[in-house]
Structures are given as C-alpha cells and as structure tokens.
Amino acid sequence: MLRVLRHGAPGFELGGLTPDWALPADAVWVELVSPSRAEEVAVEKSIGLLLPTREEMAEIEASSRLYQEDGGTFMTATVLVNADGDLPTAAPVTFVLTGDRLVTIRYVEPKAFSVFAAQAERQPSLCPGGAQTFLGLLDAVIDRTADILERTSGEVETQSRIIFSRPRGAAFEAILNRLGRAQIVNSKARDSLVSLARLLSFAALADQFDGDKELRDHLKSLQRDVQSITDHSGYLSGNITFLLDAALGLINIEQNAIFKIFSVFSVMFLPPTLVAGIYGMNFTHMPELNWLHGYPFALVLMIVAAAGPLLWFKRRGWL
C-alpha cells in the first residue's frame, strides 16, 4: 500500500498508480506498507533514489542499515511489534530522508505508526517537513517502547510479590510463563532501543539537520530518552533473571523437602521391617513361636524401632 501525506493536508492520500503517476510536489511523508514492486518503482522514479528491498532491510550489518546515497539518508531500525499479543517480535523499518520528504518502508504494523498517523491527520502542523515528521515518528516509537517496558516492569513487580508471598505448594508454572514472556518482550525492546540509538547517531549526519538548532536539540533529546530507557531495560532484565533464579530455587527447596520426607520415612520403617522379617521366618526351633505374648512383643518392638530413628532425626534438626 502506498500512502502520501501532503503539506497542510488533513489526511493521507492513497497512491493510485497510473503510467504517469508522480509524487505531489508538496508531499511530506510517503509511506510504503508491504509495497508491491510497482509501488516501489513508482516512488523510486519520483524521488530519484533506489529503495532497499525487504531482504536488504533485514540485514544486520551497520553499512546495510545506515548509509547515504545520491543525496538521501537511509536508516533502518528494529521496531517492537505485537507486544500485546502472544508472539512479540521485532521487525525492521526503513526511514529515508530526501530533500524535504520522509519515505518509510515497512512490512509490519507497529502501533506507534498508526498512533502518529492519526495525530498527523488531526494536526497537519505536526508534519511541516520530512525532518520534523521523522523526529515525530521516532518520538512515537520511543514513547511506545517506554510504555511497553513500563507495563512489563509492573507485571514483573506483581510476579515478584507472588513468588515471595505464595502459599507453600502452590504451582509455579504460571509464574514462570509470565516471567518468560516478560523477558522476551524486554529482550525485543532492548534490541529495538539499541538500533534506534545507532539510527539517531547517524541521523545527525543528514543534511536536513545542518544549521537547524531546534531539530538538532530534538534529536539530542531523543538520544537521551533512548539511553535512559535502555538503562531501565538493563535493570529490568537483571530483575527478571533474579526472579527466575529465585523461582527455580524455591522449586528445588520444595522438591528437596518432599524427597527428605520420603527418605525419613524410608529409614524409619527399615528397623520395623527387619523385626517383621525376622519373626516371619518359619523355622521349627524359634523360642518366640509358642510364646503367649510374642505377638504384642513384636508389635511393641517394631514401634520402638520406628520411633527411635524419628526421635533421632528431630534431635538433629533434620525434621
């Protein structure tokens, strides 16, 4: 899909491709969402630049993600997607600054893009030029990432209280699942923040920011925001790791307690079993076989033999 936002226009225009189609002269933001090859070619002809393919966007080398070519500045960042769904992931999004236009290429639907696009439609003044649109869009992406990490941090805090206040014997499976998902979201968010930090550093080289103090100050503010959120992500990762280790430690303690009980009962019943085994032998010459009090004597002997190890374990503090 090809969408175009024009300067001062109230909303996006869908690009109706015709043989003589060209970008409007006052186009500020050109959005390519899962574009067809025909849409890519049409935009390339209009801006005079070759756009990266989906395969090139997925490459991880910095030289393939951040470069300048023919007067355009090409920047690809990893953006967190589907953070509220069952399978959070991170996908590449490319930003191209050329002249007073911003071209974005994406094959996913980050919520930050739809939020900023809706704001731009209501307030066209947010997008007076390509550079301002670029910074506003990145601001929305960073705010969205921060919101996701705040929710994840709250979920981790909740699981922390559950772990250390849960009743003995309660299941850990749900807790481990929630902590595991929180770690996945945090990991994807951290990957996104690292790529955004590189993108913002490279964006300072773009011609659009030369001599414009307001734009450069905004760019530096975004860099500081990314750095602070990255630090918080690092703290959150350490906290999740600690809680996972604590949960596994408590599971081991409870399992050891169960095995200890089994071991104690096994040792406790060994002497009575020995007594029962001795008097279960059917030899002809056994003095106790004809003893009137032999049966109660054997029972008392077995009880004493079982109570002895139990009292010993208690005295040693093993129970």
Side-chain angles (χ1 to χ4, degrees), residues 162-201:
I162 293 174
I163 288 173
F164 295 109
S165 63
R166 52 181 287 281
R168 189 180 182 88
F172 268 101
E173 184 177 356
I175 296 173
L176 293 176
N177 285 337
R178 292 190 181 97
L179 288 177
R181 190 185 184 283
Q183 179 65 6
I184 292 173
V185 172
N186 183 63
S187 176
K188 298 296 183 183
R190 189 174 180 83
D191 289 344
S192 176
L193 291 168
V194 170
S195 70
L196 287 170
R198 293 173 180 169
L199 181 147
L200 290 168
S201 297

Side-chain angles (χ1 to χ4, degrees), residues 96-109:
V96 182
L97 282 174
T98 173
D100 201 30
R101 291 192 183 114
L102 170 68
V103 180
T104 58
I105 310 167
R106 56 188 174 92
Y107 295 85
V108 290
E109 293 289 344

